[in-house]
Amino acid sequence: MTPSNSPLREQLVFAKSDALLRDDVRRLGAMVGQMLAEQVSPGFLEQVDSLRRSAIARREQAAPVAELAGQLAQVPLEEAEGLVRAFSAYFSATNVAERVHRIRRRRDYQRQASAPQPGGLEEVLRDLRDAGVGLPELQDMLARTCIEPVFTAHPTEAVRRALLLKEKTIVERLVADIDRTRTPPERGADDALIRQSLTTAWQTNEAPPLRPSVTDEIEHIGFYLTQSLYRVLPVFFEVLSAAVESVYGQRIELPPLLRFGTWVGGDMDGNPNVGAATIHTALAYQRAQALSCYQTDLRKLGDILTQSHGHAEVDAAIDARAAAHRALFPKGAVRSRPRLADMPYRQLLWAMRARLQATGDGTPGAYPDAAAFIDDLELMDASLARHRGEHAGRFALRRILWRARSFGFHLAALDLRQDSAVHDDALAALLADTEWAARRLDQRVAQLHALIEGQVAVQPDAAALTLDVFRAVQSLRGSLGKNAFGPYIISMARTAADALAVLALARIAGCTDAGEVPLDVAPLFETVADLEAAPEVMRMLFEDPLYRRHLAARGDRQIVMVGYSDSAKDGGVLASRWALQRAQVELLDVAQVAGVQLVFFHGRGGSVSRGGGKTERAIIAAPRGSVGGRLRMTEQGEVIHRKYAIRALALRNLEQMTGAVLRASLRPRPAEPREDGWRAIAAELAQLSRTHYRALVHEHPDFPTYFRDATPVDVIERLHISSRPSRRRDGGIANLRAIPWVFAWSQNRSGLTGWYGLGTALQSGINTHGLSAMQSMARDWPFFTAMIGDVEMLLAKSDIDIFECYSQLAGDLHHALFPQIAEEFARTREAILAIKQSDSLLADDYRLRLSIRLRNPYVDPISLLQVELLRRWREGGRTDEALLRTLVSTVNGISAGIQNTG
């Protein structure tokens, strides 16, 4: 059923500029083959190659999917897991080769003096300068800019740390020869290390045998924070500083505009394993990691700052500070080292390391906070600046200073999140009012006011688990500082009472500072209906005197989180995107009237239906005025690994985010007189799309059964990749979390959640308003451009023929439901091609087409093998643990192969 002009049918052809990528793919592929022949057998390698050739023939010659499926149906169980792992090894190697090639392309741009890399900071600043942005205006915006990726606790891909380190080795060896300058002996040594990593990875389980604990997840995110982002952060500031100097001819002092957040250990929503204890654990772990990183940095800095009295001038304050630090410790505990007596900087660094050690141990001499540590670094920086130290260690010192300003002693701000229903349960217990949640809004608001003012007694020892969270915040803020905690997010926020409930509970627990709750309260609006109601909810909050008093203490700044996942699950991708767009516009109006600065926190996932897609494009497509120099968005699942595992790519992603924020904030797109008409069309299409989507997903009585039969959701629910249950509470699709919902539909290669209903709406738009009008919207309106582009990518990654094999697992329901799903897929595809005036999907994105084409010969067999194994497992009553283990391997393999899955 896949059309012959699909980019997935085309021959594999590399552009001339990608010759080295082709060589790396072949090099790694050959080593994977050699490893398989050695570790299993030459016959096994031939079997893998035979299946791969069949998969390629299906793609390039339009062979029926049944031929490849028939081959895989004959595979014995004892061989199936090996085949899955073999195909996964091949496309994992391809993934690495592609990522290294992105580094190579960046280097090529940097070598060319003619033009900076598209999307890079220098290009953005040039464009802004040409648009009339002067240096003072830029500096003012940089002072107000805050870029904050937030890593969340529910992955769809959990890569073992041991395997991450092996991948890191392969990347380093490929980068070492990125321009083919290695000698034959050096290349031979590189090959040996790559082969070692490939082989030991083959001999390692992809996932631990037990579901990860919250502590495991904390350590997993810690890998990206300490091994990649900690190293990259000062380079980011150096690149930004160099770009400003190149464009404006002046070097300026940059504010610490980049920081990081995490939900790991603080996301209590639906996860009974998270609470006060994990909050303590997460922040203790992050603190230890930060202090360890600083210890390493200071030790290395001591080898650089060896200046001696008599050979270099040094501020007297350096010796005085070192002596003052030594005096903080018990007599003799930190002595002045005689051999370093003539080296003032090393003396101070020695004392600073002692203070860091005491900070970690909680003993006398500890730094009171990160600000005191930063003050020591700034003292040395000022001395070096005054005494010809620019090229005598100041560069290395400033790298540590950038890290300390961004990471502090907490590494990443810990967000807290809880379902509003849990707060209602806690208040019901505290007030001994079993009808609390059912009471009228005005009654609950009045009672919450009384609680906030301390005018109502509560039941002793009630709601201990909830109150302990706020007590943990109160105790940890003192030692870790105010930046250790991000906002307190309220899931399923629907009324003003949901935000007031957080203030009431915090006050009952004694979580206050100068009489006010020291947390940003962030309602999360998730469903389409909640997004539509959000402006009125926030208007009521802004008019509430007690809440305004709280906001005043927070600088009159309000964080609102908007959810892409549940809104798309509720109404489909177009209804979700439009509701999010309209909610932001209306919320901005409400905040402006109230005199409140609004900060949007975007709850995005990796898949299109969960707000995935190109971040840069999404920022530019945001409503005018909604960015305002600030970007806070979740990063999760395979997205974290893809964006941040390799330092050079992490740097590129941070550059693109920052550049897009500056562009959208300083020179947002000009007013477009046609937008009023486009908005009316979008509202009409969103309603049509939502109606069609809900008729299948929420209203068809057999769809829940079809969902469970035509997807591997029963396997996903048994995965050991997250500490959190797959459901908030018992029930059908409505209570299934958006991540396993989307993950299941991406596994069966349909991607249904990201396009179903859209084709009907687009076709109606073409029929009603004309193709030309729809083409203008897609070409000239960033909102519509981004949505069409994201769905086009999803369609290109989907395979309706393979999905049909999954659908057949549903028996009679396949015949009832598959035809209309396939028809909507075709309708969506044809409408997008017509709107884009293209003959094939991704015709204007060669690199993405190539990326998909490289993986398909390896992903397709895994998908068809998953279908066969699902059939066997279910026929056996889902009791065969060996079958389940192999099925889990297929889930991991498909996820890594198609990406953008959850």
Side-chain angles (χ1 to χ4, degrees), residues 50-268:
S50 174
L51 289 167
R52 182 176 62 89
R53 287 192 296 270
S54 295
I56 292 173
R58 173 181 170 253
R59 292 286 176 181
E60 295 184 352
Q61 302 166 25
V65 70
E67 292 183 11
L68 181 58
Q71 286 180 266
L72 290 162
Q74 306 304 313
V75 173
L77 174 61
E78 57 271 18
E79 297 178 11
E81 185 173 4
L83 286 173
V84 171
R85 297 189 67 217
F87 287 123
S88 297
Y90 273 113
F91 61 65
S92 293
T94 299
N95 287 348
V96 169
E98 281 189 332
R99 289 167 185 164
V100 170
H101 192 57
R102 286 184 62 193
I103 300 173
R104 182 182 290 118
R105 287 167 50 210
R106 179 179 175 85
R107 287 164 54 88
D108 288 343
Y109 275 109
Q110 291 171 334
R111 274 192 287 257
Q112 297 169 3
S114 58
Q117 186 174 13
L121 286 168
E122 185 173 347
E123 186 209 48
V124 170
L125 293 181
R126 285 189 185 187
D127 290 346
L128 289 172
R129 179 200 61 194
D130 294 345
V133 176
L135 185 58
E137 185 181 2
L138 174 65
Q139 287 182 282
D140 179 66
M141 177 52 67
L142 289 173
R144 293 184 282 120
T145 296
C146 181
I147 312 296
E148 190 173 12
V150 180
F151 301 129
T152 65
H154 32 62
T156 51
E157 176 189 64
V159 182
R160 261 186 158 171
R161 185 187 180 97
L163 296 178
L164 288 172
L165 293 172
K166 297 178 194 303
E167 180 185 272
K168 182 170 176 282
T169 297
I170 297 173
V171 169
E172 289 171 347
R173 293 307 90 213
L174 290 178
V175 170
D177 199 25
I178 201 165
D179 296 324
R180 302 300 187 260
T181 57
R182 302 283 274 180
T183 65
E186 289 171 336
R187 190 173 171 89
D190 290 340
D191 285 350
L193 287 171
I194 292 172
R195 181 73 179 272
Q196 174 180 279
S197 295
L198 290 171
T199 305
T200 53
W202 177 262
Q203 295 177 350
T204 303
N205 280 333
E206 291 104 335
L210 300 176
R211 182 181 293 275
S213 66
V214 177
T215 302
D216 294 329
E217 292 176 335
I218 292 167
E219 293 175 358
H220 182 73
I221 294 300
F223 175 88
Y224 296 99
L225 287 169
T226 60
Q227 298 300 310
S228 180
L229 293 167
Y230 183 85
R231 301 298 168 196
V232 161
L233 183 131
V235 183
F236 165 83
F237 283 104
E238 290 157 9
V239 169
L240 177 55
S241 179
V244 172
E245 186 173 19
S246 173
V247 174
Y248 288 96
Q250 184 176 336
R251 186 171 288 270
I252 64 173
E253 188 69 24
L254 295 172
L257 53 86
L258 183 62
R259 63 184 64 173
F260 301 92
T262 174
W263 282 12
V264 188
D267 184 8
M268 299 164 282

Side-chain angles (χ1 to χ4, degrees), residues 154 184 233 356 402 428 470 489 595 598 631 643 689 765 812 833 901:
H154 32 62
L233 183 131
L356 285 176
W402 281 124
F470 294 100
I489 300 150
L598 203 59
L631 176 66
K643 284 187 175 182
S689 176
D812 290 341
L833 290 178
T901 56

Side-chain angles (χ1 to χ4, degrees), residues 691-885:
T691 299
H692 195 72
Y693 174 90
R694 289 189 63 85
L696 174 69
V697 172
H698 294 286
E699 295 165 11
H700 195 294
D702 295 324
F703 189 78
T705 302
Y706 180 75
F707 164 62
R708 297 202 66 83
D709 290 345
T711 74
V713 67
D714 43 353
V715 178
I716 292 168
E717 290 171 337
R718 291 166 169 81
L719 290 179
H720 292 158
I721 61 172
S722 173
S723 68
R724 192 169 72 160
S726 62
R727 295 178 182 274
R728 280 192 171 96
R729 54 189 72 89
D730 292 338
I733 288 175
N735 285 323
L736 183 72
R737 289 191 177 277
I739 291 174
W741 164 254
V742 173
F743 197 21
W745 289 109
S746 63
Q747 282 283 310
N748 70 11
R749 308 294 296 280
S750 73
L752 177 144
T753 60
W755 53 260
Y756 194 85
L758 179 62
T760 294
L762 292 179
Q763 191 59 57
S764 175
I766 292 170
N767 295 340
T768 304
H769 303 284
L771 180 59
S772 177
M774 301 296 288
Q775 289 171 341
S776 297
M777 290 170 67
R779 183 183 61 248
D780 300 331
W781 190 19
F783 164 74
F784 210 64
T785 303
M787 193 271 296
I788 292 291
D790 289 345
V791 175
E792 182 185 20
M793 175 195 70
L794 178 60
L795 294 176
K797 289 188 173 186
S798 301
D799 190 314
I800 205 70
D801 293 344
I802 288 180
F803 168 57
E804 184 174 12
C805 297
Y806 283 89
S807 181
Q808 289 166 353
L809 295 172
D812 290 341
L813 288 180
H814 163 70
H815 303 292
L817 294 177
F818 176 77
Q820 71 183 78
I821 294 173
E823 182 180 350
E824 182 70 2
F825 180 89
R827 187 181 296 118
T828 306
R829 181 183 181 279
E830 294 308 317
I832 286 179
L833 290 178
I835 289 169
K836 293 198 68 173
Q837 299 176 274
S838 178
D839 293 330
S840 60
L841 295 171
L842 301 179
D844 56 353
D845 196 336
Y846 152 75
R847 297 206 173 277
L848 184 52
R849 289 202 327 273
L850 176 63
S851 178
I852 295 171
R853 175 61 184 79
L854 283 170
R855 289 169 179 77
N856 279 332
Y858 307 111
V859 182
D860 293 354
I862 300 178
S863 294
L864 294 171
L865 193 54
Q866 185 183 84
V867 172
E868 174 61 24
L869 296 177
L870 275 172
R871 182 187 60 77
R872 298 182 200 176
W873 185 55
R874 290 168 178 173
E875 286 177 354
R878 297 180 174 86
T879 58
D880 191 323
E881 289 299 316
L883 256 174
L884 177 60
R885 186 171 59 249

Side-chain angles (χ1 to χ4, degrees), residues 11 38 266 269 288 298 441 480 499 509 527 650 674 680 691 724 813 826:
Q11 299 278 329
E38 174 197 78
D269 179 14
L298 293 189
L441 176 59
L480 294 176
T527 67
R674 294 173 292 174
T691 299
R724 192 169 72 160
L813 288 180

Side-chain angles (χ1 to χ4, degrees), residues 528-547:
V528 172
D530 291 345
L531 287 164
E532 291 171 349
E536 185 55 38
V537 171
M538 296 312 300
R539 181 180 292 107
M540 183 175 178
L541 271 177
F542 293 156
E543 292 173 354
D544 185 287
L546 293 188
Y547 194 78

